[in-house]
Amino acid sequence: MKTEHILIIRFSSLGDIAMLVPVVHSLAQQYPHLRITVLSRSNARALFDKLAPNVGFMDAEIDKAHKGLPGLNALYRRLKAKHFTAIADMHDVLRSKYLRMRFHIDRFKTAHIDKHKAGKRHLTAKSNKKMVQQPTSFQNYADVLAKLGYPIHLEFLSVFPNKGNLRVLSKKEFTEKKNFQQWIGIAPFAAHPGKIYPPAKMEKVIDLLSSRHPSARIILFGAGEQERRYFSEWCTRFSRCVKAADIANGLSQELILMSHLDVMVSMDSANSHLASLVNIPVVSIWGATHPYAGFMGWRQTEETAVQLNIPCRPCSVFGDKPCYRGDMACMNGIMPEKVVETVELVLDGRIKR
Protein backbone atom coordinates (compact mmCIF):
# COMPACT_ATOMS: atom_id res chain seq x y z
CA MET A 1 0.00 0.00 0.00
CA LYS A 2 1.35 3.41 -1.01
CA THR A 3 2.18 5.69 1.94
CA GLU A 4 0.07 8.86 1.98
CA HIS A 5 2.31 11.90 1.92
CA ILE A 6 0.98 15.45 1.52
CA LEU A 7 2.99 18.51 0.51
CA ILE A 8 1.76 21.84 1.91
CA ILE A 9 3.08 24.96 0.13
CA ARG A 10 3.14 28.47 1.59
CA PHE A 11 5.93 30.96 0.80
CA SER A 12 4.69 34.33 2.04
CA SER A 13 5.12 36.44 5.17
CA LEU A 14 5.79 34.87 8.55
CA GLY A 15 2.34 35.84 9.82
CA ASP A 16 0.58 33.99 7.00
CA ILE A 17 2.82 30.98 7.52
CA ALA A 18 2.17 31.06 11.27
CA MET A 19 -1.55 30.77 10.56
CA LEU A 20 -0.82 27.38 9.01
CA VAL A 21 0.35 25.94 12.32
CA PRO A 22 -3.07 25.18 13.92
CA VAL A 23 -4.19 23.64 10.62
CA VAL A 24 -1.12 21.43 10.16
CA HIS A 25 -1.24 20.40 13.81
CA SER A 26 -4.91 19.42 13.50
CA LEU A 27 -4.17 17.46 10.33
CA ALA A 28 -1.24 15.65 11.98
CA GLN A 29 -3.29 14.70 15.04
CA GLN A 30 -6.37 13.55 13.16
CA TYR A 31 -4.47 11.63 10.45
CA PRO A 32 -1.52 10.08 12.32
CA HIS A 33 -0.79 7.71 9.41
CA LEU A 34 -0.28 10.68 7.04
CA ARG A 35 3.18 12.07 6.34
CA ILE A 36 3.10 15.86 6.09
CA THR A 37 5.81 18.09 4.60
CA VAL A 38 5.57 21.89 4.78
CA LEU A 39 7.44 23.73 2.03
CA SER A 40 8.19 27.31 3.04
CA ARG A 41 10.83 29.92 3.69
CA SER A 42 13.65 28.82 5.97
CA ASN A 43 12.77 31.38 8.68
CA ALA A 44 9.55 29.45 9.38
CA ARG A 45 11.26 26.15 10.23
CA ALA A 46 11.00 26.73 13.98
CA LEU A 47 7.20 26.75 13.72
CA PHE A 48 7.00 23.20 12.37
CA ASP A 49 10.15 21.31 13.40
CA LYS A 50 8.71 19.86 16.61
CA LEU A 51 5.01 20.26 15.90
CA ALA A 52 4.23 16.54 15.53
CA PRO A 53 6.15 13.32 14.71
CA ASN A 54 4.56 13.06 11.26
CA VAL A 55 5.31 16.68 10.25
CA GLY A 56 8.47 17.61 8.35
CA PHE A 57 9.78 20.84 6.83
CA MET A 58 11.58 21.71 3.59
CA ASP A 59 13.28 25.02 2.82
CA ALA A 60 12.27 26.87 -0.34
CA GLU A 61 15.06 29.28 -1.28
CA ILE A 62 12.82 31.22 -3.66
CA ASP A 63 15.03 34.34 -3.61
CA LYS A 64 18.25 32.39 -4.17
CA ALA A 65 18.67 28.79 -5.38
CA HIS A 66 15.02 28.43 -6.36
CA LYS A 67 14.62 31.85 -7.99
CA GLY A 68 13.05 32.09 -11.45
CA LEU A 69 12.02 29.25 -13.74
CA PRO A 70 15.36 27.40 -13.55
CA GLY A 71 15.22 27.49 -9.76
CA LEU A 72 11.58 26.40 -9.64
CA ASN A 73 12.29 23.56 -12.04
CA ALA A 74 15.14 22.41 -9.82
CA LEU A 75 12.85 22.64 -6.80
CA TYR A 76 10.16 20.65 -8.61
CA ARG A 77 12.58 17.85 -9.44
CA ARG A 78 13.59 17.69 -5.80
CA LEU A 79 9.95 17.60 -4.70
CA LYS A 80 8.85 15.03 -7.25
CA ALA A 81 11.47 12.63 -5.94
CA LYS A 82 9.66 12.64 -2.57
CA HIS A 83 6.68 10.79 -4.12
CA PHE A 84 3.94 12.92 -2.62
CA THR A 85 0.38 11.69 -3.00
CA ALA A 86 -1.30 15.09 -2.62
CA ILE A 87 -0.29 18.74 -3.09
CA ALA A 88 -1.93 21.55 -1.09
CA ASP A 89 -1.17 25.00 -2.50
CA MET A 90 -1.96 27.34 0.39
CA HIS A 91 -0.56 30.40 -1.40
CA ASP A 92 -1.84 30.49 -5.02
CA VAL A 93 0.74 32.93 -6.40
CA LEU A 94 2.89 32.60 -9.53
CA ARG A 95 5.56 30.43 -7.90
CA SER A 96 3.15 28.03 -6.23
CA LYS A 97 0.89 27.98 -9.31
CA TYR A 98 3.84 26.95 -11.44
CA LEU A 99 4.78 24.13 -9.10
CA ARG A 100 1.13 23.09 -8.90
CA MET A 101 0.91 23.05 -12.70
CA ARG A 102 3.97 20.79 -12.92
CA PHE A 103 2.46 18.41 -10.37
CA HIS A 104 -0.89 18.47 -12.17
CA ILE A 105 0.70 17.67 -15.54
CA ASP A 106 2.42 14.71 -13.91
CA ARG A 107 -0.98 13.58 -12.55
CA PHE A 108 -0.52 14.37 -8.90
CA LYS A 109 -3.62 15.22 -6.89
CA THR A 110 -3.65 18.98 -6.25
CA ALA A 111 -5.87 21.63 -4.62
CA HIS A 112 -5.40 25.32 -3.94
CA ILE A 113 -6.66 28.05 -1.62
CA ASP A 114 -9.68 30.24 -2.29
CA LYS A 115 -8.72 33.71 -1.03
CA HIS A 116 -12.27 35.10 -1.35
CA LYS A 117 -10.97 38.19 -3.14
CA ALA A 118 -14.42 39.47 -4.14
CA GLY A 119 -15.58 39.61 -0.53
CA LYS A 120 -12.41 41.43 0.49
CA ARG A 121 -12.89 43.96 -2.32
CA HIS A 122 -16.38 44.74 -1.03
CA LEU A 123 -15.00 45.01 2.50
CA THR A 124 -12.33 47.56 1.54
CA ALA A 125 -14.33 49.56 -1.04
CA LYS A 126 -14.43 53.36 -0.65
CA SER A 127 -18.21 53.37 -1.08
CA ASN A 128 -20.95 50.79 -0.62
CA LYS A 129 -18.83 48.75 1.77
CA LYS A 130 -20.11 45.36 2.78
CA MET A 131 -18.93 44.75 6.32
CA VAL A 132 -19.15 40.99 6.18
CA GLN A 133 -16.80 38.63 8.02
CA GLN A 134 -14.72 36.78 5.44
CA PRO A 135 -13.64 33.18 6.00
CA THR A 136 -10.50 33.10 8.13
CA SER A 137 -7.16 31.95 6.78
CA PHE A 138 -7.46 28.96 9.11
CA GLN A 139 -10.72 27.93 7.45
CA ASN A 140 -9.39 28.63 3.96
CA TYR A 141 -6.42 26.35 4.65
CA ALA A 142 -8.67 23.66 6.09
CA ASP A 143 -10.90 23.83 3.00
CA VAL A 144 -7.92 22.97 0.78
CA LEU A 145 -7.25 19.86 2.86
CA ALA A 146 -10.90 18.86 2.61
CA LYS A 147 -10.69 19.06 -1.20
CA LEU A 148 -7.81 16.59 -1.03
CA GLY A 149 -9.81 14.16 1.12
CA TYR A 150 -8.57 15.24 4.54
CA PRO A 151 -11.37 17.13 6.30
CA ILE A 152 -10.28 18.34 9.73
CA HIS A 153 -11.70 19.83 12.89
CA LEU A 154 -9.49 22.72 13.94
CA GLU A 155 -8.01 21.96 17.37
CA PHE A 156 -4.83 23.55 18.68
CA LEU A 157 -3.54 25.08 21.91
CA SER A 158 0.20 25.77 21.72
CA VAL A 159 3.41 24.73 20.00
CA PHE A 160 4.67 23.85 23.49
CA PRO A 161 3.13 21.06 25.61
CA ASN A 162 3.69 23.40 28.54
CA LYS A 163 5.51 26.73 28.46
CA GLY A 164 8.89 26.90 26.76
CA ASN A 165 12.07 26.36 28.77
CA LEU A 166 13.43 29.80 29.70
CA ARG A 167 16.78 28.34 30.72
CA VAL A 168 17.87 28.06 27.07
CA LEU A 169 17.65 31.82 26.50
CA SER A 170 20.75 33.84 25.73
CA LYS A 171 20.64 35.94 28.91
CA LYS A 172 20.39 33.77 32.01
CA GLU A 173 19.23 36.65 34.22
CA PHE A 174 15.92 36.49 32.40
CA THR A 175 15.25 32.82 33.12
CA GLU A 176 13.10 33.56 36.16
CA LYS A 177 10.10 35.86 36.61
CA LYS A 178 10.46 36.21 40.38
CA ASN A 179 11.44 39.89 40.24
CA PHE A 180 8.38 40.84 38.18
CA GLN A 181 4.73 40.02 38.76
CA GLN A 182 3.87 40.44 35.09
CA TRP A 183 5.56 40.26 31.72
CA ILE A 184 4.00 42.45 29.03
CA GLY A 185 5.12 42.02 25.43
CA ILE A 186 4.87 44.88 22.95
CA ALA A 187 5.40 44.46 19.19
CA PRO A 188 4.79 48.00 17.92
CA PHE A 189 5.63 47.75 14.23
CA ALA A 190 4.43 45.97 11.09
CA ALA A 191 5.45 45.56 7.47
CA HIS A 192 3.11 48.28 6.16
CA PRO A 193 2.37 51.83 7.41
CA GLY A 194 -1.39 51.24 7.54
CA LYS A 195 -0.86 48.74 10.34
CA ILE A 196 1.50 50.77 12.55
CA TYR A 197 0.29 52.62 15.64
CA PRO A 198 2.13 55.99 15.82
CA PRO A 199 5.36 55.52 17.83
CA ALA A 200 4.66 58.60 19.97
CA LYS A 201 1.36 57.08 21.03
CA MET A 202 2.97 53.70 21.69
CA GLU A 203 5.55 55.45 23.85
CA LYS A 204 2.65 56.84 25.85
CA VAL A 205 1.26 53.28 26.19
CA ILE A 206 4.60 52.17 27.62
CA ASP A 207 4.67 55.19 29.94
CA LEU A 208 1.18 54.42 31.27
CA LEU A 209 1.91 50.73 31.73
CA SER A 210 5.18 51.51 33.51
CA SER A 211 3.53 53.92 35.94
CA ARG A 212 0.40 51.84 36.61
CA HIS A 213 2.22 48.52 36.86
CA PRO A 214 5.53 49.12 38.63
CA SER A 215 6.18 45.39 39.02
CA ALA A 216 5.77 44.63 35.30
CA ARG A 217 8.60 43.96 32.87
CA ILE A 218 7.95 45.26 29.35
CA ILE A 219 9.57 43.26 26.55
CA LEU A 220 9.83 44.83 23.08
CA PHE A 221 9.58 42.46 20.11
CA GLY A 222 10.87 43.17 16.62
CA ALA A 223 14.21 43.53 14.86
CA GLY A 224 13.75 45.91 11.92
CA GLU A 225 15.20 49.36 11.30
CA GLN A 226 12.34 51.18 13.03
CA GLU A 227 12.57 48.86 16.00
CA ARG A 228 16.27 49.54 16.46
CA ARG A 229 15.68 53.28 16.36
CA TYR A 230 12.86 53.43 18.88
CA PHE A 231 13.68 50.51 21.15
CA SER A 232 16.99 51.98 22.29
CA GLU A 233 15.25 55.25 23.20
CA TRP A 234 12.44 53.49 25.06
CA CYS A 235 14.75 51.14 26.95
CA THR A 236 16.81 54.15 28.06
CA ARG A 237 13.76 56.09 29.21
CA PHE A 238 11.87 53.22 30.85
CA SER A 239 14.08 51.14 33.12
CA ARG A 240 11.90 48.04 33.02
CA CYS A 241 11.86 47.89 29.22
CA VAL A 242 14.07 45.33 27.54
CA LYS A 243 14.51 44.24 23.93
CA ALA A 244 13.53 40.65 23.15
CA ALA A 245 16.49 40.48 20.76
CA ASP A 246 18.81 41.01 23.75
CA ILE A 247 17.30 38.03 25.53
CA ALA A 248 16.41 35.52 22.82
CA ASN A 249 18.43 34.37 19.83
CA GLY A 250 16.24 33.55 16.85
CA LEU A 251 12.60 32.59 16.40
CA SER A 252 12.73 29.41 18.48
CA GLN A 253 13.92 31.30 21.55
CA GLU A 254 11.51 34.19 20.93
CA LEU A 255 8.61 31.72 20.97
CA ILE A 256 9.87 30.41 24.32
CA LEU A 257 10.06 33.95 25.66
CA MET A 258 6.57 34.77 24.36
CA SER A 259 5.11 31.70 26.04
CA HIS A 260 5.84 33.29 29.44
CA LEU A 261 4.14 36.62 28.73
CA ASP A 262 0.96 37.58 30.51
CA VAL A 263 -0.21 39.55 27.48
CA MET A 264 1.12 40.70 24.10
CA VAL A 265 0.30 44.09 22.55
CA SER A 266 0.72 43.84 18.81
CA MET A 267 -0.28 45.32 15.49
CA ASP A 268 -2.02 43.21 12.85
CA SER A 269 1.34 41.54 12.25
CA ALA A 270 3.39 38.37 12.60
CA ASN A 271 4.02 38.81 16.32
CA SER A 272 0.28 38.78 16.96
CA HIS A 273 0.12 35.34 15.34
CA LEU A 274 3.26 34.04 17.03
CA ALA A 275 1.92 34.95 20.48
CA SER A 276 -1.32 33.16 19.64
CA LEU A 277 0.65 30.02 18.81
CA VAL A 278 2.03 29.86 22.37
CA ASN A 279 -1.42 30.40 23.93
CA ILE A 280 -0.86 34.00 25.04
CA PRO A 281 -3.69 36.59 24.96
CA VAL A 282 -3.10 39.36 22.44
CA VAL A 283 -4.31 42.94 22.51
CA SER A 284 -4.22 43.77 18.82
CA ILE A 285 -4.35 47.28 17.32
CA TRP A 286 -6.06 47.69 13.94
CA GLY A 287 -5.88 50.65 11.58
CA ALA A 288 -6.27 50.38 7.82
CA THR A 289 -6.99 46.66 8.09
CA HIS A 290 -9.84 44.89 9.86
CA PRO A 291 -10.44 41.51 11.53
CA TYR A 292 -13.28 40.90 9.05
CA ALA A 293 -10.68 40.26 6.32
CA GLY A 294 -9.95 36.95 8.04
CA PHE A 295 -6.50 37.56 9.49
CA MET A 296 -7.31 37.69 13.19
CA GLY A 297 -4.88 35.53 15.16
CA TRP A 298 -5.70 32.04 16.39
CA ARG A 299 -8.34 32.08 19.17
CA GLN A 300 -8.26 35.88 19.32
CA THR A 301 -11.54 37.76 19.56
CA GLU A 302 -12.74 41.29 18.86
CA GLU A 303 -12.93 41.87 22.63
CA THR A 304 -9.19 42.44 22.61
CA ALA A 305 -9.01 44.12 19.19
CA VAL A 306 -8.55 47.87 19.64
CA GLN A 307 -10.02 49.69 16.65
CA LEU A 308 -12.15 52.65 15.59
CA ASN A 309 -15.47 52.26 13.84
CA ILE A 310 -15.12 54.93 11.14
CA PRO A 311 -16.65 54.85 7.63
CA CYS A 312 -13.38 54.58 5.70
CA ARG A 313 -12.25 51.44 7.54
CA PRO A 314 -11.02 49.09 6.32
CA CYS A 315 -9.38 50.61 3.25
CA SER A 316 -6.86 47.82 2.70
CA VAL A 317 -6.59 44.07 3.15
CA PHE A 318 -2.88 44.18 3.97
CA GLY A 319 -2.34 47.78 5.11
CA ASP A 320 -0.12 48.56 2.13
CA LYS A 321 -2.25 51.30 0.51
CA PRO A 322 -1.73 55.03 1.24
CA CYS A 323 -4.40 56.64 3.41
CA TYR A 324 -6.70 58.36 0.91
CA ARG A 325 -7.88 60.77 3.63
CA GLY A 326 -4.29 61.70 4.37
CA ASP A 327 -4.69 61.79 8.14
CA MET A 328 -4.53 58.13 9.21
CA ALA A 329 -7.51 58.77 11.47
CA CYS A 330 -7.92 55.03 12.01
CA MET A 331 -4.66 54.94 13.98
CA ASN A 332 -4.27 58.51 15.18
CA GLY A 333 -7.73 58.42 16.73
CA ILE A 334 -6.92 55.49 19.02
CA MET A 335 -5.99 56.85 22.43
CA PRO A 336 -3.15 55.19 24.38
CA GLU A 337 -5.48 55.02 27.39
CA LYS A 338 -7.80 52.72 25.40
CA VAL A 339 -4.95 50.34 24.60
CA VAL A 340 -3.84 50.27 28.25
CA GLU A 341 -7.42 49.76 29.43
CA THR A 342 -7.73 46.69 27.20
CA VAL A 343 -4.39 45.33 28.44
CA GLU A 344 -5.60 45.74 32.02
CA LEU A 345 -8.84 43.89 31.27
CA VAL A 346 -6.70 40.94 30.22
CA LEU A 347 -4.28 41.21 33.15
CA ASP A 348 -7.17 41.39 35.61
CA GLY A 349 -8.84 38.34 34.10
CA ARG A 350 -11.91 40.26 32.96
CA ILE A 351 -11.25 39.16 29.36
CA LYS A 352 -10.20 35.55 28.99
CA ARG A 353 -9.15 33.53 25.98
Side-chain angles (χ1 to χ4, degrees), residues 202-272:
M202 185 58 80
E203 183 173 325
K204 181 62 175 178
V205 169
I206 296 172
D207 190 9
L208 289 169
L209 288 172
S210 296
S211 60
R212 293 186 189 182
H213 300 272
S215 63
R217 161 145 277 164
I218 297 173
I219 304 175
L220 304 173
F221 287 83
E225 184 177 336
Q226 292 186 97
E227 286 89 337
R228 285 192 291 272
R229 174 187 167 192
Y230 285 100
F231 286 7
S232 294
E233 295 177 12
W234 293 344
C235 289
T236 299
R237 180 176 175 191
F238 304 103
S239 61
R240 281 174 286 108
C241 266
V242 63
K243 292 179 279 187
D246 289 342
I247 307 171
N249 183 19
L251 180 57
S252 295
Q253 290 194 8
E254 284 207 6
L255 287 170
I256 291 171
L257 182 60
M258 280 187 192
S259 74
H260 290 266
L261 297 176
D262 293 284
V263 62
M264 169 71 89
V265 179
S266 177
M267 307 301 101
D268 169 22
S269 66
N271 280 300
S272 172

Side-chain angles (χ1 to χ4, degrees), residues 7 75 128 176 196 228 240 265 267 273 309 319 326 344 351:
L7 175 68
L75 177 59
N128 300 317
E176 295 184 10
I196 299 176
R228 285 192 291 272
R240 281 174 286 108
V265 179
M267 307 301 101
H273 296 291
N309 184 19
E344 290 176 335
I351 295 180

Side-chain angles (χ1 to χ4, degrees), residues 16 19 120 136-137 268 273 286 290-291 293-297 317-318:
D16 290 320
M19 295 181 83
K120 290 172 183 174
T136 67
S137 291
D268 169 22
H273 296 291
W286 299 75
H290 196 284
F295 299 112
M296 179 78 86
V317 174
F318 305 110

Side-chain angles (χ1 to χ4, degrees), residues 2 9 16 59 74 77 82 93 103 107 109 115 185 199-201 209 216 240 246 271-272 282 295 305 309 321 326 344:
K2 192 173 183 180
I9 303 172
D16 290 320
D59 294 340
R77 289 191 293 270
K82 301 289 184 181
V93 293
F103 278 115
R107 300 189 176 183
K109 189 176 184 179
K115 297 179 180 178
K201 290 182 178 291
L209 288 172
R240 281 174 286 108
D246 289 342
N271 280 300
S272 172
V282 177
F295 299 112
N309 184 19
K321 295 180 180 179
E344 290 176 335

Side-chain angles (χ1 to χ4, degrees), residues 293-311:
F295 299 112
M296 179 78 86
W298 178 249
R299 295 180 66 222
Q300 292 181 34
T301 69
E302 288 196 52
E303 279 188 292
T304 55
V306 182
Q307 54 187 331
L308 294 180
N309 184 19
I310 55 178

